[in-house]
Amino acid sequence: MTNPFAPELLAWYEQVAAELPWRGSDDAYRVWLSEIMLQQTQVETVKPYYARFLAAYPTVEALAAAPLDDVLKQWEGLGYYSRARYLHRAAQVVVSDYGGRFPATADELQKLPGIGRYTAGAVASIAFGARAPVLDGNVIRVFSRLLDLPDDVTLPATRTKLWQTAEDWLPETRVGDYNQSLMDLGRLICKPRAPLCGGCPVRAHCLAFQRGTQHQRPVKTPRAETPHYDVTAGLIWNERGQLLIAQRPLDGLLGGLWEFPGGKQEPGETRTECLKRELREELAIEVSVGDLYARVRHAFTHFKITLHAYTCRYVSGEPQALGVRAWAWVMPDALDAYSFGKADRQVIAEMRARRAMLL
DNA sequence: AATACGGGGTT
DNA sequence: AACCCAGTATT
């Protein structure tokens, strides 16, 4: 099946293609790094992270040789931290199994940790010119409008059909440019809420535009409401003016990041009880819980939390890493060397604001 | 097939 | 506040 709109799309791409830091290089390492960062993350958010990361790790060998904790620190704030772990592991596999050179086909790339079908197609086509399709949120939206697709795009069966369409429409040449032009079109023109159909280079081929249904595409089932949890955290001081911090397990939420120890409040439990229980379970220590120091709200994808941070005094028990990966006593000024999630960073910002007021 | 997994931008 | 974003891995 020949692509009905590729010439117009590519011509548009040459005119308006955004200058992006990861474009203009076919270095597979750079393409791969950008694609991992861009998973579920907008272009503008990625730009500063990409520049810093590349400066810290200019080659896949440098990344493979780095400690994971350093990589996580570079990733701090970007979210979906499993990406950083897989990135690190994949770099080590590329160095050890492939002599530091990325495999050039989508099938081989997809065997690497953190590379699924989308990223495999993106790297293969952009870095190696392979004839492999991509299907991301942008492309799903563009295709659902071009086809005026009434199917629910959140359903796996619909995704399968869309992947097939992506494959069917793949041009013979310039596949990397074509894939990127499709994503640029989705990002800049074929926007979710208010598509700029007047400036669309392929509107002559768009069934939804012809029928005026572009605002009803894509069809998706709304997301379930997110629950709210109350979470406690201890600002535990020792006599040397140090704070106790703990590193979360590698698996799960905020994996590998540091935090002020604590946890989710259970039904029928006061916050003081919750905090003392969590500190016993995770670190085997006893503290006296003092005043509420800060209250912070934060939204994750699947739930919201209110984080209640209490000033605590360390009482007894050498900390043990029972439910955490590691622990450390650190001076407040040394906190920046560790990676924290956004909620704990808000608590740290509050500490600094209050200290600044005192000076 | 359904769910877990961040954080920021847009509307 | 809801929706969206250059998705992947696990169960």
Side-chain angles (χ1 to χ4, degrees):
Chain A
M1 190 186 307
T2 58
N3 185 300
F5 56 85
E8 293 97 316
L9 184 58
L10 282 163
W12 170 82
Y13 183 64
E14 278 153 28
Q15 295 298 314
V16 312
E19 273 300 317
L20 299 178
W22 42 88
R23 285 188 177 158
S25 162
D26 59 359
D27 179 2
Y29 172 66
R30 296 183 179 222
V31 175
W32 165 68
L33 175 62
S34 71
E35 291 298 343
I36 300 294
M37 287 187 165
L38 286 160
Q39 290 169 7
Q40 297 291 286
T41 311
Q42 299 191 182
V43 165
E44 291 306 317
T45 305
V46 165
K47 282 180 180 175
Y49 282 91
Y50 178 79
R52 284 198 301 269
F53 204 96
L54 208 51
Y57 312 116
T59 64
V60 67
E61 286 84 2
L63 175 56
L68 175 60
D69 285 344
D70 292 1
V71 177
L72 285 169
K73 180 63 195 173
Q74 290 287 333
W75 208 269
E76 178 182 344
L78 201 50
Y80 283 151
Y81 297 93
S82 63
R83 290 185 293 174
R85 293 201 309 278
Y86 293 136
L87 187 86
H88 189 233
R89 266 173 41 197
Q92 295 177 332
V93 172
V94 168
V95 169
S96 64
D97 295 6
Y98 293 94
R101 279 194 284 277
F102 281 82
T105 66
D107 282 348
E108 280 294 309
L109 284 162
Q110 201 173 336
K111 293 178 185 167
L112 293 169
I115 299 189
R117 188 169 180 187
Y118 163 77
T119 305
V123 175
S125 64
I126 296 169
F128 298 110
R131 199 159 169 273
V134 296
L135 187 76
D136 69 339
N138 288 309
V139 179
I140 288 170
R141 190 170 56 254
V142 169
F143 283 6
S144 79
R145 286 173 176 159
L146 283 172
L147 297 164
D148 194 28
L149 196 67
D151 306 350
D152 182 344
V153 299
T154 64
L155 297 176
T158 309
R159 299 296 177 107
T160 303
K161 276 171 66 175
L162 288 167
W163 271 110
Q164 186 60 50
T165 301
E167 206 168 306
D168 291 343
W169 281 349
L170 224 42
E172 295 293 332
T173 60
R174 297 187 62 193
V175 181
D177 285 344
Y178 166 80
N179 282 339
Q180 293 183 86
S181 71
L182 222 36
M183 295 189 280
D184 260 13
L185 186 73
R187 184 165 63 90
L188 301 170
I189 303 286
C190 197
K191 299 195 198 191
R193 308 288 180 95
L196 307 173
C197 298
C200 178
V202 299
R203 67 177 184 274
H205 304 274
C206 183
L207 223 44
F209 176 69
Q210 289 168 25
R211 297 173 180 167
T213 55
Q214 62 268 38
H215 299 286
Q216 299 159 41
R217 302 287 181 260
V219 175
K220 34 178 79 179
T221 52
R223 216 181 280 177
E225 255 184 69
T226 59
H228 174 274
Y229 303 116
D230 286 292
V231 178
T232 60
L235 304 176
I236 306 165
W237 297 92
N238 67 14
E239 282 137 18
R240 309 216 300 243
Q242 295 171 312
L243 269 167
L244 183 61
I245 60 174
Q247 189 176 30
R248 299 173 61 89
L250 243 28
D251 291 327
L253 186 74
L254 304 171
L257 268 61
W258 292 78
E259 66 177 2
F260 299 115
K264 193 194 300 182
Q265 186 178 9
E266 303 286 357
E269 190 180 47
T270 68
R271 285 202 263 281
T272 301
E273 288 164 353
C274 165
L275 187 50
K276 290 172 81 76
R277 172 181 57 76
E278 291 282 352
L279 294 173
R280 277 194 284 263
E281 289 174 1
E282 292 183 359
L283 291 158
I285 61 167
E286 298 295 330
V287 304
S288 67
V289 177
D291 295 335
L292 178 68
Y293 184 83
R295 196 183 352 246
V296 159
R297 282 133 71 93
H298 185 65
F300 294 85
T301 305
H302 288 280
F303 58 92
K304 297 185 273 281
I305 65 163
T306 303
L307 179 63
H308 308 264
Y310 288 87
T311 306
C312 298
R313 190 167 49 79
Y314 174 67
V315 171
S316 66
E318 172 74 359
Q320 296 174 49
L322 301 180
V324 299
R325 185 158 172 260
W327 54 269
W329 290 105
V330 299
M331 297 300 289
D333 283 336
L335 289 171
D336 284 348
Y338 299 83
S339 51
F340 287 87
K342 184 65 191 313
D344 279 23
R345 276 288 166 208
Q346 288 184 64
V347 174
I348 293 170
E350 177 63 24
M351 289 176 45
R352 303 227 157 117
R354 291 201 203 174
R355 188 179 63 172
M357 287 231 299
L358 293 175
L359 299 179

